[in-house]
Amino acid sequence: MRTPMIAGNWKMNNGFAETRELIGELNRKFSCKIKVSIAIFPSFPYLYESSRLLDGKAIRLGAQNLHWETKGAFTGEVSSMMLRDVGCEYVIVGHSERRHIFKESDEQILLKLKAALQAGLHPILCVGETLAEREKGSMEQVVRAQLKGLSELTPEEITNLVLAYEPVWAIGTGKTASPEAAQNMHAFIRRWIRKQFGNYLSDKMIILYGGSVKPENIRELMDRPDIDGALVGGASLNADSFSAIIQGACETVKE
Ligand code: 13P
């Protein structure tokens, strides 16, 4: 069975004081082993301190981006090795904000995926359609194109990957995809993985949903068979709402 995951993408939020406070509260609330894995994704400057605060605790650490080269003249960039060095286990790759605001291409995203995997990080690859693409009915085509690069990865690399379906129109808008619409896309993604890599890897693949996840909607989303957790933005910035999402997720886990 798949262990569900709740991931908090803090985006460009939280300074030193908030980072310390939020991690302190989460550590207190989730000090023992629980039924879902939890990871947080602070901004680069706070990763080291976060890693120190999370040392020996249940919550894992990840970064929001990386560069595909390991080192060199790439002013302003951060490599997979550096992320490993400061204690990251995960890294988000291909978030829609990176694709749309920073114009990252599928080719660049594939280079980042490969660099992350090479360094022993677990990348969380984000895919998802815009509102215009959904209205045109081309969401499967869009997501298929975003997944295409995965066919260059080995089965072993695929086992270290996490996927996140984040419809762009649901991010930060308060509009969640209906559990049924999300389930349909998750099932589509799992079928694509099955076709490329077979039953074993598709059954193991963790596919998170992201886009206006809140304590009120986590249960109905996670009750669907192909939704294995959530990549949470806004609601992960507050210890109470993030904890309520984690608790809601735990309640959907069958013994
Ligand atoms: P919101 O939960 O704020 O909609 O953000 C989702 C997201 O982009 C997570 O990566």
Side-chain angles (χ1 to χ4, degrees), residues 9 11 95 97 166 170-173 210-213 231-234:
N9 175 9
K11 307 192 179 180
H95 191 278
E97 287 147 20
E166 297 206 314
I171 295 177
T173 58
S212 298
V213 173
L231 181 53
V232 187

Side-chain angles (χ1 to χ4, degrees), residues 7 11 21-22 42 44 96 164:
K11 307 192 179 180
E21 201 183 310
L22 191 43
F44 287 138
S96 70

Side-chain angles (χ1 to χ4, degrees), residues 65-190:
N65 185 26
L66 81 164
H67 190 264
W68 56 83
E69 294 291 344
T70 47
K71 61 178 184 172
F74 301 98
T75 302
E77 296 293 334
V78 174
S79 76
S80 55
M81 297 302 171
M82 293 168 178
L83 298 182
R84 280 299 301 262
D85 244 8
V86 295
C88 289
E89 290 176 57
Y90 292 91
V91 62
I92 297 172
V93 176
H95 191 278
S96 70
E97 287 147 20
R98 303 287 329 162
R99 292 177 188 267
H100 294 110
I101 306 172
F102 301 101
K103 309 291 177 224
E104 280 186 15
S105 65
D106 285 322
E107 291 70 30
Q108 291 172 325
I109 290 166
L110 182 59
L111 289 172
K112 291 183 176 200
L113 275 181
K114 288 180 177 170
L117 288 163
Q118 191 106 48
L121 290 162
H122 298 284
I124 301 185
L125 172 67
C126 301
V127 297
E129 79 286 356
T130 63
L131 184 58
E133 289 161 345
R134 172 156 286 260
E135 282 172 347
K136 267 201 311 209
S138 60
M139 57 269 188
E140 291 190 354
Q141 206 180 319
V142 168
V143 168
R144 192 185 297 119
Q146 292 169 340
L147 291 170
K148 190 163 172 265
L150 295 184
S151 50
E152 288 191 26
L153 302 182
T154 64
E156 206 206 329
E157 287 174 321
I158 291 290
T159 59
N160 289 316
L161 178 77
V162 175
L163 292 175
Y165 170 62
E166 297 206 314
V168 181
W169 47 272
I171 295 177
T173 58
K175 284 187 206 148
T176 323
S178 70
E180 200 182 349
Q183 163 59 26
N184 286 344
M185 288 305 289
H186 281 235
F188 168 77
I189 292 168
R190 202 177 301 284

